[in-house]
Amino acid sequence: MRESTIMKIHYGTALAAVALVAVHILMRLTQGFAESLEYDSVLANYKFIPYAAMLELILILLAVHGFNGLRVILLELKQGRTYEKAVSYGCLAAMVALIAYGSRTIIMTNMGMT
Amino acid sequence: MTQVSRITDEQTPTSTSSTILLRISKFNPEHDDSGRFMEFTIPYEKWTTVLEAILDVKKHFDHSVAVRYSCRQATCGSCGMIINGKPRLACFTKISELNSNVVTVEPMNNFPIIRDLAVKFERLFNTHQKIKPYLIRDDSELESDEKEFLQSPEEVEQYIQFANCIKCGLCNSACPTMATDSSFVGPQALAQAYRYVADSRDKGKDSRLKIIDDSHGIWRCHFAGSCSQVCPKGVDPAMGIQLLRGYLLGFRG
Ligand code: SF4
Ligand code: FES
């Protein structure tokens, strides 16, 4: 993939994540902070499909943005063909793994498998 | 550990009441494990440049000081060095403007040292060459005596400040990304890429944008802006880089 395409995704995910995290924080403010973190309240959020979908989207946006950011930092830190390949594929694999693990939590909770 | 040797000019008659302590970095990578500073007390006039002070040292005290220079008028781009912590041209920096009794000269950062103040320019020239610093088009002004590629003043305005670059490398020396990313194309080459992309006579925009659009290309600029701060010719590489990004992000045609 061209670096400009990757960076367009990088900037896009940042903007979208800021917007969705703002919505997420506003939703949290509808309850008191401690109440919002109660077990039943958290479960209820995951079971409300639009909210669970938004959490899933935030997870994807932050994972894509974060791991690309990490790739960029590591590429600037050290150079070399093998190292750079390892960094790029390593970050991609870590990103997929994190999204898979987070999605598993969201989907299982949504389906009541707690 | 940096060692210091001091030599004071006792014989040279001073035609002025002002003297400075000139500290010159001495390092030969072939023999030395670490650098050291030689210190010289040098008389100076209001108009004396740092390069003249260094040449004074070479003439009267230590002819072994390695320094590169040629035009002595900020045109050839040879005499870049770190002067009192900032990348500057030695021939374009007057001692009086430094407002200090101590002038420390070191080789440019982000360039391999040949000896003392002289550094290798290979990387700068390679990256400069990589972005194809010439007009790309199928026809040529040389084909016919009457053919001329005319430009309006507005078209010239688009790129002219970038055409002032003398390839001194001060911008690359000031760039924080250059310090860590040995494959980064650098502000000098990126500014030159913009210079040709923005030239209405040039038709090589796509090939140039492709060259700089890689994992060590234009996107590794963090917009620190230090390149533009140190340029002695008024080139603004940081702005050129942002304008180039406009092409890649689709904001510019
Ligand atoms: S842009 Fe300025 S600082 Fe950089 S090489 Fe050209 S003249 Fe020197
Ligand atoms: S000697 Fe030519 S730029 Fe300084």
Side-chain angles (χ1 to χ4, degrees), chain B residues 23-63:
Chain B
R23 302 175 72 237
I24 301 181
S25 170
K26 294 281 286 174
F27 177 61
N28 184 344
E30 282 178 17
H31 304 123
D32 305 335
D33 294 330
S34 62
R36 66 197 162 96
F37 282 95
M38 294 278 284
E39 296 186 346
F40 306 90
T41 305
I42 301 289
Y44 75 99
E45 306 285 349
K46 203 165 66 183
W47 51 84
T48 307
T49 64
V50 173
L51 179 63
E52 285 163 347
I54 296 169
L55 295 180
D56 200 359
V57 167
K58 273 180 81 70
K59 195 169 171 192
H60 295 111
F61 304 117
D62 182 355
H63 67 271

mmCIF file of all heavy atoms in Angstrom, chain B residues 23-63:
data_model
loop_
_atom_site.group_PDB
_atom_site.id
_atom_site.type_symbol
_atom_site.label_atom_id
_atom_site.label_comp_id
_atom_site.label_asym_id
_atom_site.label_seq_id
_atom_site.Cartn_x
_atom_site.Cartn_y
_atom_site.Cartn_z
ATOM 1 N N ARG B 23 36.442 28.395 19.698
ATOM 2 C CA ARG B 23 36.590 26.978 20.067
ATOM 3 C C ARG B 23 36.274 26.148 18.824
ATOM 4 O O ARG B 23 35.164 26.190 18.308
ATOM 5 C CB ARG B 23 35.644 26.609 21.206
ATOM 6 C CG ARG B 23 35.844 27.456 22.450
ATOM 7 C CD ARG B 23 34.808 27.125 23.502
ATOM 8 N NE ARG B 23 35.056 25.825 24.093
ATOM 9 C CZ ARG B 23 34.186 24.839 24.114
ATOM 10 N NH1 ARG B 23 33.007 24.980 23.575
ATOM 11 N NH2 ARG B 23 34.484 23.685 24.676
ATOM 12 N N ILE B 24 37.267 25.405 18.367
ATOM 13 C CA ILE B 24 37.079 24.616 17.143
ATOM 14 C C ILE B 24 37.074 23.134 17.481
ATOM 15 O O ILE B 24 37.993 22.629 18.140
ATOM 16 C CB ILE B 24 38.205 24.914 16.112
ATOM 17 C CG1 ILE B 24 38.217 26.403 15.764
ATOM 18 C CG2 ILE B 24 38.024 24.079 14.849
ATOM 19 C CD1 ILE B 24 39.272 26.794 14.747
ATOM 20 N N SER B 25 36.056 22.450 17.025
ATOM 21 C CA SER B 25 35.962 21.008 17.260
ATOM 22 C C SER B 25 37.002 20.283 16.403
ATOM 23 O O SER B 25 37.091 20.519 15.196
ATOM 24 C CB SER B 25 34.551 20.533 16.894
ATOM 25 O OG SER B 25 34.505 19.136 16.894
ATOM 26 N N LYS B 26 37.795 19.433 17.038
ATOM 27 C CA LYS B 26 38.809 18.664 16.308
ATOM 28 C C LYS B 26 38.482 17.185 16.459
ATOM 29 O O LYS B 26 38.336 16.678 17.577
ATOM 30 C CB LYS B 26 40.207 18.927 16.894
ATOM 31 C CG LYS B 26 40.718 20.339 16.719
ATOM 32 C CD LYS B 26 41.253 20.606 15.330
ATOM 33 C CE LYS B 26 42.600 19.953 15.097
ATOM 34 N NZ LYS B 26 43.054 20.099 13.696
ATOM 35 N N PHE B 27 38.321 16.526 15.352
ATOM 36 C CA PHE B 27 38.024 15.086 15.413
ATOM 37 C C PHE B 27 38.399 14.441 14.087
ATOM 38 O O PHE B 27 37.988 14.894 13.018
ATOM 39 C CB PHE B 27 36.533 14.860 15.706
ATOM 40 C CG PHE B 27 36.130 13.413 15.720
ATOM 41 C CD1 PHE B 27 36.699 12.522 16.626
ATOM 42 C CD2 PHE B 27 35.179 12.929 14.820
ATOM 43 C CE1 PHE B 27 36.326 11.180 16.635
ATOM 44 C CE2 PHE B 27 34.804 11.593 14.834
ATOM 45 C CZ PHE B 27 35.380 10.722 15.736
ATOM 46 N N ASN B 28 39.208 13.399 14.180
ATOM 47 C CA ASN B 28 39.536 12.629 12.979
ATOM 48 C C ASN B 28 39.043 11.202 13.208
ATOM 49 O O ASN B 28 39.628 10.468 14.009
ATOM 50 C CB ASN B 28 41.051 12.636 12.747
ATOM 51 C CG ASN B 28 41.422 11.927 11.449
ATOM 52 O OD1 ASN B 28 40.599 11.197 10.886
ATOM 53 N ND2 ASN B 28 42.637 12.155 10.983
ATOM 54 N N PRO B 29 37.946 10.815 12.531
ATOM 55 C CA PRO B 29 37.368 9.492 12.803
ATOM 56 C C PRO B 29 38.343 8.346 12.544
ATOM 57 O O PRO B 29 38.159 7.246 13.083
ATOM 58 C CB PRO B 29 36.161 9.411 11.865
ATOM 59 C CG PRO B 29 36.219 10.581 10.982
ATOM 60 C CD PRO B 29 37.221 11.557 11.502
ATOM 61 N N GLU B 30 39.379 8.599 11.737
ATOM 62 C CA GLU B 30 40.342 7.520 11.456
ATOM 63 C C GLU B 30 41.280 7.254 12.633
ATOM 64 O O GLU B 30 41.802 6.162 12.785
ATOM 65 C CB GLU B 30 41.168 7.864 10.215
ATOM 66 C CG GLU B 30 40.386 7.609 8.935
ATOM 67 C CD GLU B 30 41.171 7.992 7.706
ATOM 68 O OE1 GLU B 30 42.409 8.147 7.812
ATOM 69 O OE2 GLU B 30 40.537 8.163 6.651
ATOM 70 N N HIS B 31 41.520 8.296 13.458
ATOM 71 C CA HIS B 31 42.467 8.129 14.567
ATOM 72 C C HIS B 31 41.877 8.334 15.953
ATOM 73 O O HIS B 31 42.337 7.722 16.914
ATOM 74 C CB HIS B 31 43.649 9.105 14.411
ATOM 75 C CG HIS B 31 44.349 8.967 13.100
ATOM 76 N ND1 HIS B 31 44.498 10.028 12.235
ATOM 77 C CD2 HIS B 31 44.902 7.888 12.500
ATOM 78 C CE1 HIS B 31 45.131 9.600 11.146
ATOM 79 N NE2 HIS B 31 45.388 8.311 11.286
ATOM 80 N N ASP B 32 40.880 9.193 16.043
ATOM 81 C CA ASP B 32 40.410 9.600 17.380
ATOM 82 C C ASP B 32 39.193 8.802 17.827
ATOM 83 O O ASP B 32 38.333 8.456 17.012
ATOM 84 C CB ASP B 32 40.037 11.093 17.381
ATOM 85 C CG ASP B 32 41.184 11.967 16.900
ATOM 86 O OD1 ASP B 32 42.340 11.515 17.030
ATOM 87 O OD2 ASP B 32 40.915 13.069 16.399
ATOM 88 N N ASP B 33 39.150 8.536 19.131
ATOM 89 C CA ASP B 33 37.968 7.882 19.698
ATOM 90 C C ASP B 33 36.880 8.904 20.006
ATOM 91 O O ASP B 33 35.699 8.618 19.936
ATOM 92 C CB ASP B 33 38.324 7.161 21.007
ATOM 93 C CG ASP B 33 39.283 6.011 20.735
ATOM 94 O OD1 ASP B 33 39.195 5.455 19.626
ATOM 95 O OD2 ASP B 33 40.115 5.708 21.608
ATOM 96 N N SER B 34 37.321 10.088 20.386
ATOM 97 C CA SER B 34 36.336 11.125 20.704
ATOM 98 C C SER B 34 36.872 12.484 20.266
ATOM 99 O O SER B 34 38.072 12.642 19.996
ATOM 100 C CB SER B 34 36.067 11.138 22.211
ATOM 101 O OG SER B 34 37.260 11.441 22.873
ATOM 102 N N GLY B 35 35.960 13.444 20.203
ATOM 103 C CA GLY B 35 36.345 14.777 19.754
ATOM 104 C C GLY B 35 36.931 15.599 20.888
ATOM 105 O O GLY B 35 36.841 15.228 22.053
ATOM 106 N N ARG B 36 37.582 16.706 20.521
ATOM 107 C CA ARG B 36 38.081 17.634 21.531
ATOM 108 C C ARG B 36 37.974 19.027 20.939
ATOM 109 O O ARG B 36 37.741 19.178 19.722
ATOM 110 C CB ARG B 36 39.537 17.308 21.909
ATOM 111 C CG ARG B 36 40.515 17.513 20.787
ATOM 112 C CD ARG B 36 41.842 16.819 21.043
ATOM 113 N NE ARG B 36 42.573 16.687 19.793
ATOM 114 C CZ ARG B 36 43.497 17.533 19.381
ATOM 115 N NH1 ARG B 36 43.844 18.548 20.148
ATOM 116 N NH2 ARG B 36 44.097 17.369 18.229
ATOM 117 N N PHE B 37 38.126 20.026 21.791
ATOM 118 C CA PHE B 37 38.072 21.397 21.298
ATOM 119 C C PHE B 37 39.440 22.050 21.429
ATOM 120 O O PHE B 37 40.110 21.891 22.442
ATOM 121 C CB PHE B 37 37.037 22.216 22.081
ATOM 122 C CG PHE B 37 35.626 21.942 21.658
ATOM 123 C CD1 PHE B 37 34.843 21.020 22.333
ATOM 124 C CD2 PHE B 37 35.092 22.604 20.555
ATOM 125 C CE1 PHE B 37 33.542 20.770 21.928
ATOM 126 C CE2 PHE B 37 33.793 22.354 20.139
ATOM 127 C CZ PHE B 37 33.015 21.431 20.829
ATOM 128 N N MET B 38 39.838 22.760 20.379
ATOM 129 C CA MET B 38 41.027 23.604 20.446
ATOM 130 C C MET B 38 40.508 25.030 20.633
ATOM 131 O O MET B 38 39.555 25.429 19.965
ATOM 132 C CB MET B 38 41.817 23.539 19.138
ATOM 133 C CG MET B 38 42.429 22.193 18.834
ATOM 134 S SD MET B 38 43.981 21.951 19.712
ATOM 135 C CE MET B 38 45.090 22.956 18.749
ATOM 136 N N GLU B 39 41.174 25.791 21.515
ATOM 137 C CA GLU B 39 40.699 27.156 21.771
ATOM 138 C C GLU B 39 41.744 28.164 21.328
ATOM 139 O O GLU B 39 42.944 27.990 21.594
ATOM 140 C CB GLU B 39 40.382 27.320 23.259
ATOM 141 C CG GLU B 39 39.233 26.422 23.684
ATOM 142 C CD GLU B 39 38.796 26.657 25.121
ATOM 143 O OE1 GLU B 39 39.554 27.326 25.868
ATOM 144 O OE2 GLU B 39 37.719 26.184 25.476
ATOM 145 N N PHE B 40 41.289 29.194 20.649
ATOM 146 C CA PHE B 40 42.187 30.227 20.133
ATOM 147 C C PHE B 40 41.599 31.598 20.456
ATOM 148 O O PHE B 40 40.388 31.799 20.295
ATOM 149 C CB PHE B 40 42.323 30.110 18.613
ATOM 150 C CG PHE B 40 42.748 28.740 18.144
ATOM 151 C CD1 PHE B 40 41.802 27.774 17.842
ATOM 152 C CD2 PHE B 40 44.095 28.416 18.026
ATOM 153 C CE1 PHE B 40 42.183 26.514 17.409
ATOM 154 C CE2 PHE B 40 44.484 27.147 17.597
ATOM 155 C CZ PHE B 40 43.525 26.196 17.298
ATOM 156 N N THR B 41 42.457 32.503 20.863
ATOM 157 C CA THR B 41 41.978 33.876 21.081
ATOM 158 C C THR B 41 42.274 34.658 19.804
ATOM 159 O O THR B 41 43.420 34.748 19.370
ATOM 160 C CB THR B 41 42.681 34.507 22.296
ATOM 161 O OG1 THR B 41 42.459 33.629 23.408
ATOM 162 C CG2 THR B 41 42.115 35.877 22.604
ATOM 163 N N ILE B 42 41.220 35.176 19.213
ATOM 164 C CA ILE B 42 41.331 35.769 17.876
ATOM 165 C C ILE B 42 40.813 37.208 17.902
ATOM 166 O O ILE B 42 39.723 37.456 18.431
ATOM 167 C CB ILE B 42 40.466 34.952 16.867
ATOM 168 C CG1 ILE B 42 40.923 33.490 16.825
ATOM 169 C CG2 ILE B 42 40.459 35.559 15.477
ATOM 170 C CD1 ILE B 42 42.266 33.293 16.165
ATOM 171 N N PRO B 43 41.590 38.144 17.312
ATOM 172 C CA PRO B 43 41.046 39.515 17.195
ATOM 173 C C PRO B 43 39.999 39.561 16.079
ATOM 174 O O PRO B 43 40.090 38.791 15.123
ATOM 175 C CB PRO B 43 42.272 40.336 16.806
ATOM 176 C CG PRO B 43 43.185 39.368 16.149
ATOM 177 C CD PRO B 43 42.939 38.025 16.759
ATOM 178 N N TYR B 44 39.030 40.421 16.232
ATOM 179 C CA TYR B 44 38.041 40.521 15.149
ATOM 180 C C TYR B 44 37.540 41.938 15.006
ATOM 181 O O TYR B 44 37.608 42.734 15.944
ATOM 182 C CB TYR B 44 36.874 39.546 15.384
ATOM 183 C CG TYR B 44 35.904 39.984 16.450
ATOM 184 C CD1 TYR B 44 34.703 40.612 16.100
ATOM 185 C CD2 TYR B 44 36.170 39.776 17.800
ATOM 186 C CE1 TYR B 44 33.801 41.016 17.083
ATOM 187 C CE2 TYR B 44 35.284 40.182 18.771
ATOM 188 C CZ TYR B 44 34.104 40.801 18.414
ATOM 189 O OH TYR B 44 33.233 41.220 19.385
ATOM 190 N N GLU B 45 37.074 42.212 13.799
ATOM 191 C CA GLU B 45 36.475 43.516 13.507
ATOM 192 C C GLU B 45 34.954 43.332 13.431
ATOM 193 O O GLU B 45 34.468 42.198 13.455
ATOM 194 C CB GLU B 45 36.980 44.042 12.150
ATOM 195 C CG GLU B 45 38.491 44.099 12.010
ATOM 196 C CD GLU B 45 39.115 45.257 12.794
ATOM 197 O OE1 GLU B 45 38.351 46.127 13.263
ATOM 198 O OE2 GLU B 45 40.347 45.265 12.947
ATOM 199 N N LYS B 46 34.257 44.437 13.255
ATOM 200 C CA LYS B 46 32.795 44.373 13.189
ATOM 201 C C LYS B 46 32.334 43.470 12.049
ATOM 202 O O LYS B 46 31.291 42.838 12.110
ATOM 203 C CB LYS B 46 32.264 45.801 12.973
ATOM 204 C CG LYS B 46 30.852 46.008 13.422
ATOM 205 C CD LYS B 46 30.523 47.477 13.523
ATOM 206 C CE LYS B 46 30.549 48.137 12.159
ATOM 207 N NZ LYS B 46 30.299 49.570 12.184
ATOM 208 N N TRP B 47 33.140 43.442 10.987
ATOM 209 C CA TRP B 47 32.730 42.727 9.775
ATOM 210 C C TRP B 47 33.347 41.324 9.650
ATOM 211 O O TRP B 47 33.121 40.633 8.685
ATOM 212 C CB TRP B 47 33.120 43.556 8.535
ATOM 213 C CG TRP B 47 34.565 43.973 8.577
ATOM 214 C CD1 TRP B 47 35.636 43.252 8.183
ATOM 215 C CD2 TRP B 47 35.068 45.220 9.064
ATOM 216 N NE1 TRP B 47 36.789 43.940 8.394
ATOM 217 C CE2 TRP B 47 36.474 45.159 8.924
ATOM 218 C CE3 TRP B 47 34.473 46.368 9.599
ATOM 219 C CZ2 TRP B 47 37.295 46.216 9.317
ATOM 220 C CZ3 TRP B 47 35.299 47.409 9.965
ATOM 221 C CH2 TRP B 47 36.682 47.328 9.831
ATOM 222 N N THR B 48 34.150 40.929 10.624
ATOM 223 C CA THR B 48 34.826 39.620 10.514
ATOM 224 C C THR B 48 33.812 38.480 10.588
ATOM 225 O O THR B 48 32.978 38.439 11.496
ATOM 226 C CB THR B 48 35.855 39.445 11.654
ATOM 227 O OG1 THR B 48 36.726 40.566 11.653
ATOM 228 C CG2 THR B 48 36.650 38.161 11.500
ATOM 229 N N THR B 49 33.911 37.567 9.642
ATOM 230 C CA THR B 49 32.997 36.421 9.666
ATOM 231 C C THR B 49 33.651 35.266 10.426
ATOM 232 O O THR B 49 34.879 35.244 10.631
ATOM 233 C CB THR B 49 32.655 35.941 8.243
ATOM 234 O OG1 THR B 49 33.861 35.471 7.628
ATOM 235 C CG2 THR B 49 32.027 37.030 7.400
ATOM 236 N N VAL B 50 32.826 34.294 10.791
ATOM 237 C CA VAL B 50 33.352 33.122 11.500
ATOM 238 C C VAL B 50 34.344 32.383 10.597
ATOM 239 O O VAL B 50 35.391 31.897 11.055
ATOM 240 C CB VAL B 50 32.200 32.196 11.944
ATOM 241 C CG1 VAL B 50 32.727 30.899 12.524
ATOM 242 C CG2 VAL B 50 31.303 32.912 12.945
ATOM 243 N N LEU B 51 34.048 32.344 9.290
ATOM 244 C CA LEU B 51 34.972 31.659 8.375
ATOM 245 C C LEU B 51 36.329 32.359 8.377
ATOM 246 O O LEU B 51 37.384 31.704 8.422
ATOM 247 C CB LEU B 51 34.390 31.617 6.953
ATOM 248 C CG LEU B 51 35.290 30.932 5.908
ATOM 249 C CD1 LEU B 51 35.501 29.461 6.250
ATOM 250 C CD2 LEU B 51 34.718 31.061 4.505
ATOM 251 N N GLU B 52 36.318 33.696 8.364
ATOM 252 C CA GLU B 52 37.588 34.436 8.391
ATOM 253 C C GLU B 52 38.363 34.145 9.675
ATOM 254 O O GLU B 52 39.597 34.018 9.652
ATOM 255 C CB GLU B 52 37.327 35.940 8.234
ATOM 256 C CG GLU B 52 36.977 36.314 6.807
ATOM 257 C CD GLU B 52 36.322 37.690 6.671
ATOM 258 O OE1 GLU B 52 35.909 38.268 7.704
ATOM 259 O OE2 GLU B 52 36.207 38.160 5.538
ATOM 260 N N ALA B 53 37.652 34.012 10.767
ATOM 261 C CA ALA B 53 38.321 33.706 12.041
ATOM 262 C C ALA B 53 38.957 32.311 11.976
ATOM 263 O O ALA B 53 40.087 32.102 12.443
ATOM 264 C CB ALA B 53 37.321 33.797 13.189
ATOM 265 N N ILE B 54 38.235 31.361 11.378
ATOM 266 C CA ILE B 54 38.784 29.998 11.264
ATOM 267 C C ILE B 54 40.014 30.009 10.338
ATOM 268 O O ILE B 54 41.039 29.376 10.623
ATOM 269 C CB ILE B 54 37.702 29.021 10.732
ATOM 270 C CG1 ILE B 54 36.548 28.905 11.726
ATOM 271 C CG2 ILE B 54 38.297 27.649 10.448
ATOM 272 C CD1 ILE B 54 35.320 28.194 11.191
ATOM 273 N N LEU B 55 39.921 30.779 9.250
ATOM 274 C CA LEU B 55 41.059 30.850 8.322
ATOM 275 C C LEU B 55 42.255 31.555 8.979
ATOM 276 O O LEU B 55 43.413 31.238 8.687
ATOM 277 C CB LEU B 55 40.643 31.556 7.024
ATOM 278 C CG LEU B 55 39.580 30.805 6.201
ATOM 279 C CD1 LEU B 55 39.216 31.564 4.936
ATOM 280 C CD2 LEU B 55 40.051 29.401 5.851
ATOM 281 N N ASP B 56 41.962 32.469 9.878
ATOM 282 C CA ASP B 56 42.998 33.133 10.658
ATOM 283 C C ASP B 56 43.750 32.093 11.503
ATOM 284 O O ASP B 56 44.992 32.081 11.570
ATOM 285 C CB ASP B 56 42.315 34.176 11.562
ATOM 286 C CG ASP B 56 43.271 35.240 12.052
ATOM 287 O OD1 ASP B 56 44.466 35.147 11.712
ATOM 288 O OD2 ASP B 56 42.823 36.144 12.790
ATOM 289 N N VAL B 57 42.966 31.218 12.120
ATOM 290 C CA VAL B 57 43.568 30.133 12.917
ATOM 291 C C VAL B 57 44.431 29.250 12.025
ATOM 292 O O VAL B 57 45.559 28.890 12.365
ATOM 293 C CB VAL B 57 42.466 29.287 13.605
ATOM 294 C CG1 VAL B 57 43.049 27.994 14.161
ATOM 295 C CG2 VAL B 57 41.783 30.092 14.700
ATOM 296 N N LYS B 58 43.897 28.905 10.857
ATOM 297 C CA LYS B 58 44.645 28.034 9.941
ATOM 298 C C LYS B 58 45.962 28.697 9.511
ATOM 299 O O LYS B 58 46.987 28.043 9.388
ATOM 300 C CB LYS B 58 43.809 27.740 8.682
ATOM 301 C CG LYS B 58 42.880 26.544 8.824
ATOM 302 C CD LYS B 58 42.076 26.308 7.563
ATOM 303 C CE LYS B 58 42.816 25.570 6.488
ATOM 304 N NZ LYS B 58 43.065 24.166 6.791
ATOM 305 N N LYS B 59 45.906 30.001 9.297
ATOM 306 C CA LYS B 59 47.084 30.712 8.814
ATOM 307 C C LYS B 59 48.135 30.899 9.907
ATOM 308 O O LYS B 59 49.333 30.738 9.670
ATOM 309 C CB LYS B 59 46.645 32.086 8.286
ATOM 310 C CG LYS B 59 47.672 32.790 7.447
ATOM 311 C CD LYS B 59 47.035 33.984 6.766
ATOM 312 C CE LYS B 59 48.099 34.831 6.091
ATOM 313 N NZ LYS B 59 47.557 36.117 5.682
ATOM 314 N N HIS B 60 47.674 31.214 11.126
ATOM 315 C CA HIS B 60 48.640 31.596 12.161
ATOM 316 C C HIS B 60 48.931 30.542 13.213
ATOM 317 O O HIS B 60 49.951 30.582 13.865
ATOM 318 C CB HIS B 60 48.181 32.884 12.861
ATOM 319 C CG HIS B 60 48.157 34.059 11.937
ATOM 320 N ND1 HIS B 60 46.987 34.658 11.520
ATOM 321 C CD2 HIS B 60 49.163 34.725 11.315
ATOM 322 C CE1 HIS B 60 47.272 35.658 10.705
ATOM 323 N NE2 HIS B 60 48.587 35.719 10.561
ATOM 324 N N PHE B 61 47.974 29.609 13.457
ATOM 325 C CA PHE B 61 48.165 28.688 14.586
ATOM 326 C C PHE B 61 48.186 27.222 14.212
ATOM 327 O O PHE B 61 49.037 26.471 14.665
ATOM 328 C CB PHE B 61 47.050 28.881 15.631
ATOM 329 C CG PHE B 61 46.923 30.263 16.144
ATOM 330 C CD1 PHE B 61 45.764 30.989 15.919
ATOM 331 C CD2 PHE B 61 47.956 30.850 16.841
ATOM 332 C CE1 PHE B 61 45.636 32.274 16.390
ATOM 333 C CE2 PHE B 61 47.825 32.138 17.328
ATOM 334 C CZ PHE B 61 46.675 32.855 17.096
ATOM 335 N N ASP B 62 47.183 26.810 13.454
ATOM 336 C CA ASP B 62 47.034 25.381 13.234
ATOM 337 C C ASP B 62 46.510 25.145 11.820
ATOM 338 O O ASP B 62 45.303 25.193 11.573
ATOM 339 C CB ASP B 62 46.048 24.808 14.278
ATOM 340 C CG ASP B 62 45.885 23.305 14.143
ATOM 341 O OD1 ASP B 62 46.452 22.724 13.206
ATOM 342 O OD2 ASP B 62 45.147 22.724 14.971
ATOM 343 N N HIS B 63 47.438 24.891 10.905
ATOM 344 C CA HIS B 63 47.014 24.740 9.515
ATOM 345 C C HIS B 63 46.266 23.431 9.280
ATOM 346 O O HIS B 63 45.711 23.198 8.224
ATOM 347 C CB HIS B 63 48.224 24.825 8.586
ATOM 348 C CG HIS B 63 49.173 23.681 8.748
ATOM 349 N ND1 HIS B 63 50.202 23.712 9.660
ATOM 350 C CD2 HIS B 63 49.223 22.481 8.159
ATOM 351 C CE1 HIS B 63 50.853 22.560 9.611
ATOM 352 N NE2 HIS B 63 50.282 21.798 8.724
#
